[in-house]
Amino acid sequence: MENNVTEFILLGLSQEKEVEVLCFLLFLLCYIAILTGNLLIMVSIICSQLINQPMYFFLSHLSFSDLCYTSTVTPKLIMDFLAEKKAISYNGCMTQLFTMHFFGGIEVFILTGMAYDRYVAICKPLHYTTIMSRWRCNIMIAASCAGGFLHSFGQFLLAIFLPYCGPNEIDHYFCDVYPLLKLACADTSRIGLLVIANSGLMGLVTFVVLLISYAVILYTVRSYSVENRRKALSTCSSHITVVVLFFAPLLFIYIRPATTLPEDKVFALFYTIIAPMLNPLIYTLRNTEMKNAIKKLWFRIMGKKGNK
């Protein structure tokens, strides 16, 4: 069956004009906060000695993937709040689907790498510098990119070979596989199972691995002194918060059968906008080293301005 759809109409979060104006202002502020927070973390780490520590090396890459990930969706969402016709071309839709899952996949694997880093630091401290060498960290980042590409390419193939004959209205604020399956004029039951296997199971397996790693960490720190236990748990609590914020809504959407629910759009906001916005706060508020790096960067900038 031929594909005769050249563009899709995104129904967005709301159809009411007053609500859309409020949402425009709200999400514009959110996007500015995402850009500012994640860029601040990246620059602070790169311009300090923290870049030599694996934990912060991964954090700088997580901030970069957060920036790219949310930028595939949020700018279009913000512009659509003021647009009369929320249209996206067929090619633009497929590109958005691919890039969103690509950077989202990278983020999933980087979070896994960060959990492994914490596991080695707490459970095998004497071998930490040997195991978490810069070469191995670079390999883990490269593997995260490769994993993200394979995941997104699979989603892209499932969507691009579907015939779309109309209607062309997507009940979402971005192009994703499940809303597109609804529009396909073909039997999508088997493709729905492949989407669950690709996105749902990948997210579930990763989440279970993360939970097991933190269970092992909690078991290990029982024998630590009170001060060392507090430091270990303080470091891990930030990462656990980020993992729950990102994975809980993601699993709600992708682990079930291939259907769309009205709640999907609200849950999707958590991993496309809210998590990337809160990550910088979560990783800095309880992290003294990160606070000091930001202060040094600020003083360096102010010092240069003063010299000028």
Side-chain angles (χ1 to χ4, degrees), residues 109-167:
F109 293 120
I110 287 178
L111 286 170
T112 308
M114 292 175 78
Y116 178 70
D117 171 69
R118 291 301 84 206
Y119 163 77
V120 176
I122 293 168
C123 301
K124 299 182 179 182
L126 297 177
H127 304 285
Y128 179 71
T129 52
T130 306
I131 295 172
M132 298 305 296
S133 62
R134 178 45 58 93
W135 178 83
R136 181 161 291 181
C137 290
N138 286 330
I139 291 294
M140 288 169 74
I141 293 296
S144 298
C145 294
F149 177 80
L150 289 174
H151 161 68
S152 63
F153 190 63
Q155 298 289 77
F156 177 74
L157 287 179
L158 293 176
I160 203 165
F161 286 120
L162 287 172
Y164 304 99
C165 337

Short mmCIF file of all heavy atoms in Angstrom, two decimals, residues 109-167:
data_model
loop_
_atom_site.label_atom_id
_atom_site.label_comp_id
_atom_site.label_asym_id
_atom_site.label_seq_id
_atom_site.Cartn_x
_atom_site.Cartn_y
_atom_site.Cartn_z
N PHE A 109 22.09 4.41 28.35
CA PHE A 109 23.34 3.67 28.50
C PHE A 109 24.37 4.44 29.34
O PHE A 109 25.16 3.83 30.07
CB PHE A 109 23.91 3.30 27.13
CG PHE A 109 23.06 2.31 26.38
CD1 PHE A 109 22.51 2.62 25.14
CD2 PHE A 109 22.80 1.06 26.93
CE1 PHE A 109 21.72 1.71 24.47
CE2 PHE A 109 22.01 0.13 26.26
CZ PHE A 109 21.47 0.46 25.02
N ILE A 110 24.35 5.78 29.25
CA ILE A 110 25.26 6.57 30.08
C ILE A 110 24.87 6.44 31.56
O ILE A 110 25.74 6.31 32.43
CB ILE A 110 25.27 8.06 29.66
CG1 ILE A 110 26.01 8.22 28.32
CG2 ILE A 110 25.95 8.92 30.72
CD1 ILE A 110 26.05 9.64 27.79
N LEU A 111 23.57 6.45 31.84
CA LEU A 111 23.11 6.24 33.22
C LEU A 111 23.55 4.88 33.75
O LEU A 111 23.91 4.74 34.92
CB LEU A 111 21.58 6.37 33.30
CG LEU A 111 21.00 7.79 33.19
CD1 LEU A 111 19.49 7.74 33.04
CD2 LEU A 111 21.39 8.63 34.41
N THR A 112 23.55 3.88 32.85
CA THR A 112 24.04 2.55 33.24
C THR A 112 25.53 2.59 33.53
O THR A 112 26.01 1.99 34.50
CB THR A 112 23.75 1.53 32.12
OG1 THR A 112 22.37 1.61 31.74
CG2 THR A 112 24.05 0.11 32.57
N GLY A 113 26.28 3.31 32.70
CA GLY A 113 27.72 3.47 32.91
C GLY A 113 28.02 4.17 34.22
O GLY A 113 28.96 3.81 34.94
N MET A 114 27.20 5.17 34.56
CA MET A 114 27.39 5.89 35.82
C MET A 114 27.12 4.99 37.02
O MET A 114 27.80 5.07 38.05
CB MET A 114 26.48 7.12 35.86
CG MET A 114 26.87 8.19 34.85
SD MET A 114 25.70 9.57 34.78
CE MET A 114 26.19 10.50 36.25
N ALA A 115 26.12 4.10 36.88
CA ALA A 115 25.82 3.15 37.96
C ALA A 115 26.98 2.18 38.14
O ALA A 115 27.36 1.83 39.27
CB ALA A 115 24.54 2.39 37.64
N TYR A 116 27.58 1.75 37.04
CA TYR A 116 28.73 0.84 37.11
C TYR A 116 29.91 1.54 37.78
O TYR A 116 30.62 0.93 38.59
CB TYR A 116 29.11 0.38 35.70
CG TYR A 116 30.32 -0.54 35.66
CD1 TYR A 116 30.24 -1.84 36.17
CD2 TYR A 116 31.53 -0.10 35.14
CE1 TYR A 116 31.34 -2.68 36.15
CE2 TYR A 116 32.65 -0.93 35.12
CZ TYR A 116 32.55 -2.21 35.62
OH TYR A 116 33.64 -3.04 35.60
N ASP A 117 30.09 2.80 37.45
CA ASP A 117 31.17 3.59 38.05
C ASP A 117 31.00 3.65 39.57
O ASP A 117 31.95 3.48 40.33
CB ASP A 117 31.17 5.00 37.46
CG ASP A 117 32.10 5.94 38.21
OD1 ASP A 117 33.33 5.75 38.11
OD2 ASP A 117 31.60 6.85 38.90
N ARG A 118 29.77 3.90 40.04
CA ARG A 118 29.51 3.96 41.48
C ARG A 118 29.70 2.59 42.13
O ARG A 118 30.21 2.49 43.26
CB ARG A 118 28.08 4.46 41.75
CG ARG A 118 27.84 5.92 41.41
CD ARG A 118 28.73 6.87 42.18
NE ARG A 118 30.04 7.04 41.55
CZ ARG A 118 31.15 7.37 42.18
NH1 ARG A 118 31.15 7.54 43.48
NH2 ARG A 118 32.29 7.51 41.54
N TYR A 119 29.32 1.53 41.42
CA TYR A 119 29.48 0.17 41.93
C TYR A 119 30.97 -0.13 42.15
O TYR A 119 31.37 -0.63 43.21
CB TYR A 119 28.87 -0.84 40.96
CG TYR A 119 29.34 -2.26 41.18
CD1 TYR A 119 28.82 -3.02 42.23
CD2 TYR A 119 30.31 -2.83 40.35
CE1 TYR A 119 29.27 -4.32 42.45
CE2 TYR A 119 30.75 -4.12 40.55
CZ TYR A 119 30.23 -4.87 41.61
OH TYR A 119 30.69 -6.14 41.82
N VAL A 120 31.80 0.18 41.16
CA VAL A 120 33.24 -0.07 41.26
C VAL A 120 33.85 0.78 42.38
O VAL A 120 34.67 0.31 43.17
CB VAL A 120 33.95 0.21 39.92
CG1 VAL A 120 35.46 0.04 40.06
CG2 VAL A 120 33.44 -0.73 38.83
N ALA A 121 33.46 2.06 42.46
CA ALA A 121 34.02 2.99 43.46
C ALA A 121 33.72 2.52 44.88
O ALA A 121 34.57 2.67 45.78
CB ALA A 121 33.47 4.39 43.24
N ILE A 122 32.52 1.97 45.10
CA ILE A 122 32.11 1.60 46.45
C ILE A 122 32.44 0.15 46.79
O ILE A 122 32.86 -0.17 47.90
CB ILE A 122 30.60 1.87 46.64
CG1 ILE A 122 30.34 3.39 46.58
CG2 ILE A 122 30.07 1.29 47.94
CD1 ILE A 122 28.89 3.78 46.47
N CYS A 123 32.26 -0.75 45.82
CA CYS A 123 32.45 -2.17 46.08
C CYS A 123 33.87 -2.66 45.80
O CYS A 123 34.30 -3.68 46.35
CB CYS A 123 31.45 -2.99 45.28
SG CYS A 123 29.73 -2.59 45.65
N LYS A 124 34.62 -1.96 44.93
CA LYS A 124 36.00 -2.36 44.62
C LYS A 124 36.92 -1.13 44.62
O LYS A 124 37.55 -0.82 43.61
CB LYS A 124 36.05 -3.04 43.25
CG LYS A 124 35.22 -4.31 43.17
CD LYS A 124 35.35 -4.98 41.81
CE LYS A 124 34.53 -6.26 41.77
NZ LYS A 124 34.65 -6.97 40.48
N PRO A 125 36.97 -0.43 45.74
CA PRO A 125 37.71 0.85 45.78
C PRO A 125 39.21 0.73 45.48
O PRO A 125 39.79 1.64 44.90
CB PRO A 125 37.48 1.35 47.21
CG PRO A 125 37.10 0.13 47.99
CD PRO A 125 36.38 -0.76 47.05
N LEU A 126 39.82 -0.40 45.84
CA LEU A 126 41.27 -0.55 45.63
C LEU A 126 41.62 -0.72 44.15
O LEU A 126 42.74 -0.41 43.74
CB LEU A 126 41.79 -1.77 46.43
CG LEU A 126 41.66 -1.68 47.96
CD1 LEU A 126 42.15 -2.96 48.61
CD2 LEU A 126 42.43 -0.48 48.50
N HIS A 127 40.66 -1.20 43.39
CA HIS A 127 40.91 -1.42 41.95
C HIS A 127 40.24 -0.35 41.08
O HIS A 127 40.21 -0.48 39.86
CB HIS A 127 40.39 -2.80 41.53
CG HIS A 127 40.97 -3.93 42.32
ND1 HIS A 127 42.25 -4.38 42.13
CD2 HIS A 127 40.44 -4.68 43.32
CE1 HIS A 127 42.49 -5.38 42.97
NE2 HIS A 127 41.42 -5.57 43.72
N TYR A 128 39.69 0.69 41.74
CA TYR A 128 38.88 1.68 40.99
C TYR A 128 39.65 2.35 39.87
O TYR A 128 39.19 2.41 38.73
CB TYR A 128 38.34 2.74 41.98
CG TYR A 128 37.51 3.81 41.29
CD1 TYR A 128 36.25 3.51 40.80
CD2 TYR A 128 38.00 5.10 41.14
CE1 TYR A 128 35.47 4.48 40.17
CE2 TYR A 128 37.25 6.07 40.51
CZ TYR A 128 35.98 5.76 40.03
OH TYR A 128 35.24 6.72 39.39
N THR A 129 40.84 2.87 40.16
CA THR A 129 41.59 3.62 39.13
C THR A 129 42.00 2.72 37.97
O THR A 129 42.10 3.18 36.83
CB THR A 129 42.85 4.27 39.75
OG1 THR A 129 43.59 3.28 40.45
CG2 THR A 129 42.45 5.39 40.71
N THR A 130 42.23 1.44 38.25
CA THR A 130 42.61 0.51 37.19
C THR A 130 41.42 0.16 36.31
O THR A 130 41.51 0.18 35.08
CB THR A 130 43.19 -0.79 37.80
OG1 THR A 130 44.25 -0.46 38.69
CG2 THR A 130 43.71 -1.71 36.70
N ILE A 131 40.29 -0.15 36.98
CA ILE A 131 39.09 -0.56 36.22
C ILE A 131 38.51 0.61 35.44
O ILE A 131 38.20 0.49 34.25
CB ILE A 131 38.03 -1.15 37.18
CG1 ILE A 131 38.55 -2.45 37.82
CG2 ILE A 131 36.72 -1.43 36.42
CD1 ILE A 131 37.65 -3.00 38.92
N MET A 132 38.38 1.78 36.11
CA MET A 132 37.75 2.94 35.47
C MET A 132 38.81 3.87 34.86
O MET A 132 38.87 5.06 35.15
CB MET A 132 36.88 3.70 36.47
CG MET A 132 35.71 2.89 37.02
SD MET A 132 34.62 2.20 35.75
CE MET A 132 33.98 3.67 35.00
N SER A 133 39.66 3.31 34.03
CA SER A 133 40.68 4.11 33.34
C SER A 133 40.00 4.99 32.29
O SER A 133 38.86 4.74 31.89
CB SER A 133 41.70 3.20 32.66
OG SER A 133 41.07 2.41 31.67
N ARG A 134 40.70 6.03 31.83
CA ARG A 134 40.12 6.93 30.82
C ARG A 134 39.81 6.15 29.53
O ARG A 134 38.80 6.43 28.86
CB ARG A 134 41.08 8.09 30.55
CG ARG A 134 40.61 9.09 29.48
CD ARG A 134 39.14 9.49 29.64
NE ARG A 134 38.83 10.08 30.90
CZ ARG A 134 38.85 11.39 31.15
NH1 ARG A 134 39.18 12.24 30.20
NH2 ARG A 134 38.52 11.85 32.34
N TRP A 135 40.66 5.20 29.20
CA TRP A 135 40.41 4.38 27.99
C TRP A 135 39.09 3.64 28.11
O TRP A 135 38.29 3.63 27.17
CB TRP A 135 41.57 3.38 27.82
CG TRP A 135 41.38 2.46 26.64
CD1 TRP A 135 41.67 2.72 25.34
CD2 TRP A 135 40.83 1.12 26.67
NE1 TRP A 135 41.33 1.63 24.54
CE2 TRP A 135 40.82 0.64 25.34
CE3 TRP A 135 40.36 0.29 27.69
CZ2 TRP A 135 40.36 -0.63 24.99
CZ3 TRP A 135 39.89 -0.98 27.35
CH2 TRP A 135 39.89 -1.42 26.03
N ARG A 136 38.84 3.04 29.28
CA ARG A 136 37.59 2.29 29.47
C ARG A 136 36.39 3.24 29.48
O ARG A 136 35.32 2.90 28.95
CB ARG A 136 37.66 1.49 30.77
CG ARG A 136 36.40 0.66 31.03
CD ARG A 136 36.64 -0.44 32.02
NE ARG A 136 37.51 -1.47 31.46
CZ ARG A 136 37.87 -2.57 32.13
NH1 ARG A 136 37.44 -2.76 33.36
NH2 ARG A 136 38.66 -3.46 31.58
N CYS A 137 36.54 4.41 30.07
CA CYS A 137 35.44 5.38 30.08
C CYS A 137 35.09 5.81 28.65
O CYS A 137 33.91 5.93 28.30
CB CYS A 137 35.83 6.61 30.91
SG CYS A 137 35.93 6.29 32.68
N ASN A 138 36.12 6.04 27.83
CA ASN A 138 35.88 6.41 26.43
C ASN A 138 35.17 5.28 25.67
O ASN A 138 34.28 5.53 24.85
CB ASN A 138 37.20 6.74 25.73
CG ASN A 138 37.75 8.08 26.15
OD1 ASN A 138 36.99 9.00 26.50
ND2 ASN A 138 39.07 8.23 26.16
N ILE A 139 35.57 4.04 25.96
CA ILE A 139 34.93 2.88 25.33
C ILE A 139 33.46 2.81 25.73
O ILE A 139 32.58 2.53 24.90
CB ILE A 139 35.66 1.57 25.73
CG1 ILE A 139 37.05 1.51 25.09
CG2 ILE A 139 34.84 0.34 25.32
CD1 ILE A 139 37.06 1.42 23.58
N MET A 140 33.16 3.09 27.00
CA MET A 140 31.78 3.04 27.49
C MET A 140 30.92 4.12 26.84
O MET A 140 29.74 3.89 26.51
CB MET A 140 31.76 3.16 29.01
CG MET A 140 32.28 1.92 29.72
SD MET A 140 32.57 2.13 31.49
CE MET A 140 30.90 2.16 32.11
N ILE A 141 31.50 5.31 26.62
CA ILE A 141 30.76 6.37 25.93
C ILE A 141 30.51 5.99 24.47
O ILE A 141 29.40 6.18 23.94
CB ILE A 141 31.52 7.72 26.02
CG1 ILE A 141 31.56 8.23 27.46
CG2 ILE A 141 30.90 8.77 25.10
CD1 ILE A 141 30.19 8.58 28.04
N ALA A 142 31.53 5.43 23.82
CA ALA A 142 31.39 4.99 22.43
C ALA A 142 30.34 3.89 22.32
O ALA A 142 29.52 3.88 21.39
CB ALA A 142 32.74 4.49 21.89
N ALA A 143 30.35 2.95 23.29
CA ALA A 143 29.35 1.87 23.31
C ALA A 143 27.95 2.42 23.53
O ALA A 143 26.97 1.93 22.94
CB ALA A 143 29.70 0.86 24.39
N SER A 144 27.82 3.48 24.35
CA SER A 144 26.53 4.13 24.59
C SER A 144 25.98 4.74 23.30
O SER A 144 24.79 4.62 22.99
CB SER A 144 26.65 5.22 25.66
OG SER A 144 27.05 4.68 26.90
N CYS A 145 26.87 5.38 22.52
CA CYS A 145 26.47 5.98 21.24
C CYS A 145 26.05 4.89 20.24
O CYS A 145 25.05 5.04 19.53
CB CYS A 145 27.61 6.81 20.66
SG CYS A 145 28.00 8.28 21.63
N ALA A 146 26.82 3.79 20.22
CA ALA A 146 26.50 2.69 19.31
C ALA A 146 25.17 2.05 19.70
O ALA A 146 24.33 1.75 18.83
CB ALA A 146 27.62 1.65 19.34
N GLY A 147 24.96 1.85 21.01
CA GLY A 147 23.70 1.29 21.49
C GLY A 147 22.52 2.19 21.18
O GLY A 147 21.45 1.71 20.76
N GLY A 148 22.70 3.50 21.37
CA GLY A 148 21.64 4.46 21.05
C GLY A 148 21.30 4.45 19.57
O GLY A 148 20.13 4.53 19.19
N PHE A 149 22.33 4.33 18.73
CA PHE A 149 22.10 4.29 17.27
C PHE A 149 21.33 3.04 16.86
O PHE A 149 20.37 3.12 16.08
CB PHE A 149 23.43 4.35 16.53
CG PHE A 149 23.29 4.24 15.03
CD1 PHE A 149 22.92 5.34 14.27
CD2 PHE A 149 23.48 3.02 14.39
CE1 PHE A 149 22.75 5.24 12.89
CE2 PHE A 149 23.32 2.91 13.01
CZ PHE A 149 22.96 4.01 12.26
N LEU A 150 21.74 1.89 17.38
CA LEU A 150 21.05 0.63 17.03
C LEU A 150 19.59 0.67 17.47
O LEU A 150 18.70 0.23 16.73
CB LEU A 150 21.78 -0.55 17.67
CG LEU A 150 23.15 -0.92 17.08
CD1 LEU A 150 23.81 -2.00 17.92
CD2 LEU A 150 23.01 -1.37 15.63
N HIS A 151 19.37 1.19 18.67
CA HIS A 151 17.99 1.29 19.17
C HIS A 151 17.14 2.21 18.30
O HIS A 151 16.05 1.85 17.87
CB HIS A 151 18.01 1.81 20.62
CG HIS A 151 16.71 2.37 21.07
ND1 HIS A 151 15.59 1.58 21.27
CD2 HIS A 151 16.32 3.64 21.36
CE1 HIS A 151 14.57 2.35 21.66
NE2 HIS A 151 15.00 3.60 21.72
N SER A 152 17.65 3.41 18.01
CA SER A 152 16.88 4.39 17.24
C SER A 152 16.70 3.95 15.79
O SER A 152 15.66 4.18 15.18
CB SER A 152 17.54 5.77 17.29
OG SER A 152 18.81 5.73 16.69
N PHE A 153 17.71 3.29 15.23
CA PHE A 153 17.61 2.82 13.85
C PHE A 153 16.52 1.75 13.74
O PHE A 153 15.78 1.71 12.75
CB PHE A 153 18.96 2.26 13.38
CG PHE A 153 19.00 1.96 11.90
CD1 PHE A 153 18.87 2.98 10.97
CD2 PHE A 153 19.17 0.66 11.44
CE1 PHE A 153 18.90 2.72 9.61
CE2 PHE A 153 19.21 0.38 10.09
CZ PHE A 153 19.08 1.41 9.16
N GLY A 154 16.40 0.91 14.78
CA GLY A 154 15.33 -0.09 14.80
C GLY A 154 13.96 0.55 14.83
O GLY A 154 13.05 0.16 14.09
N GLN A 155 13.79 1.58 15.69
CA GLN A 155 12.51 2.31 15.77
C GLN A 155 12.20 3.00 14.44
O GLN A 155 11.06 3.00 13.98
CB GLN A 155 12.57 3.36 16.89
CG GLN A 155 12.78 2.81 18.27
CD GLN A 155 11.56 2.08 18.80
OE1 GLN A 155 11.29 0.95 18.42
NE2 GLN A 155 10.83 2.72 19.67
N PHE A 156 13.23 3.59 13.85
CA PHE A 156 13.09 4.31 12.58
C PHE A 156 12.63 3.37 11.46
O PHE A 156 11.72 3.71 10.70
CB PHE A 156 14.44 4.95 12.23
CG PHE A 156 14.48 5.65 10.91
CD1 PHE A 156 13.86 6.88 10.75
CD2 PHE A 156 15.15 5.10 9.83
CE1 PHE A 156 13.89 7.55 9.53
CE2 PHE A 156 15.19 5.75 8.61
CZ PHE A 156 14.57 6.98 8.45
N LEU A 157 13.22 2.19 11.39
CA LEU A 157 12.84 1.22 10.35
C LEU A 157 11.40 0.77 10.51
O LEU A 157 10.66 0.61 9.53
CB LEU A 157 13.78 0.01 10.39
CG LEU A 157 15.20 0.20 9.86
CD1 LEU A 157 15.98 -1.10 10.00
CD2 LEU A 157 15.19 0.65 8.40
N LEU A 158 10.98 0.56 11.78
CA LEU A 158 9.61 0.13 12.04
C LEU A 158 8.60 1.17 11.57
O LEU A 158 7.52 0.84 11.08
CB LEU A 158 9.41 -0.14 13.54
CG LEU A 158 10.18 -1.32 14.13
CD1 LEU A 158 9.96 -1.38 15.64
CD2 LEU A 158 9.77 -2.63 13.49
N ALA A 159 8.95 2.46 11.74
CA ALA A 159 8.01 3.54 11.39
C ALA A 159 8.04 3.90 9.91
O ALA A 159 7.00 4.18 9.31
CB ALA A 159 8.34 4.79 12.23
N ILE A 160 9.22 3.88 9.29
CA ILE A 160 9.34 4.42 7.92
C ILE A 160 8.75 3.48 6.88
O ILE A 160 8.35 3.92 5.79
CB ILE A 160 10.82 4.74 7.60
CG1 ILE A 160 10.88 5.78 6.48
CG2 ILE A 160 11.61 3.48 7.25
CD1 ILE A 160 12.22 6.43 6.30
N PHE A 161 8.67 2.19 7.17
CA PHE A 161 8.12 1.25 6.19
C PHE A 161 6.61 1.06 6.32
O PHE A 161 6.02 0.29 5.57
CB PHE A 161 8.84 -0.10 6.28
CG PHE A 161 10.23 -0.08 5.70
CD1 PHE A 161 11.33 -0.38 6.48
CD2 PHE A 161 10.43 0.27 4.37
CE1 PHE A 161 12.61 -0.35 5.96
CE2 PHE A 161 11.71 0.31 3.83
CZ PHE A 161 12.80 0.00 4.62
N LEU A 162 6.00 1.77 7.26
CA LEU A 162 4.54 1.69 7.41
C LEU A 162 3.86 2.57 6.38
O LEU A 162 4.33 3.69 6.11
CB LEU A 162 4.12 2.13 8.82
CG LEU A 162 4.42 1.19 9.98
CD1 LEU A 162 4.12 1.87 11.30
CD2 LEU A 162 3.63 -0.10 9.85
N PRO A 163 2.75 2.12 5.79
CA PRO A 163 2.00 2.97 4.86
C PRO A 163 1.04 3.90 5.63
O PRO A 163 0.33 3.45 6.53
CB PRO A 163 1.22 1.96 4.02
CG PRO A 163 1.04 0.78 4.91
CD PRO A 163 2.20 0.75 5.87
N TYR A 164 1.06 5.18 5.29
CA TYR A 164 0.17 6.15 5.91
C TYR A 164 -0.74 6.73 4.83
O TYR A 164 -0.28 7.42 3.93
CB TYR A 164 0.96 7.27 6.59
CG TYR A 164 1.96 6.77 7.61
CD1 TYR A 164 3.32 6.62 7.28
CD2 TYR A 164 1.56 6.42 8.89
CE1 TYR A 164 4.23 6.16 8.20
CE2 TYR A 164 2.48 5.95 9.82
CZ TYR A 164 3.81 5.81 9.47
OH TYR A 164 4.72 5.34 10.38
N CYS A 165 -2.03 6.44 4.92
CA CYS A 165 -2.97 6.90 3.90
C CYS A 165 -3.92 7.97 4.43
O CYS A 165 -4.76 8.46 3.69
CB CYS A 165 -3.81 5.74 3.36
SG CYS A 165 -3.14 4.12 3.56
N GLY A 166 -3.84 8.30 5.68
CA GLY A 166 -4.76 9.25 6.28
C GLY A 166 -5.69 8.52 7.23
O GLY A 166 -5.95 7.34 7.01
N PRO A 167 -6.14 9.19 8.31
CA PRO A 167 -5.88 10.59 8.69
C PRO A 167 -4.41 10.81 9.09
O PRO A 167 -3.67 9.86 9.27
CB PRO A 167 -6.80 10.81 9.88
CG PRO A 167 -6.95 9.44 10.50
CD PRO A 167 -6.93 8.48 9.35
#
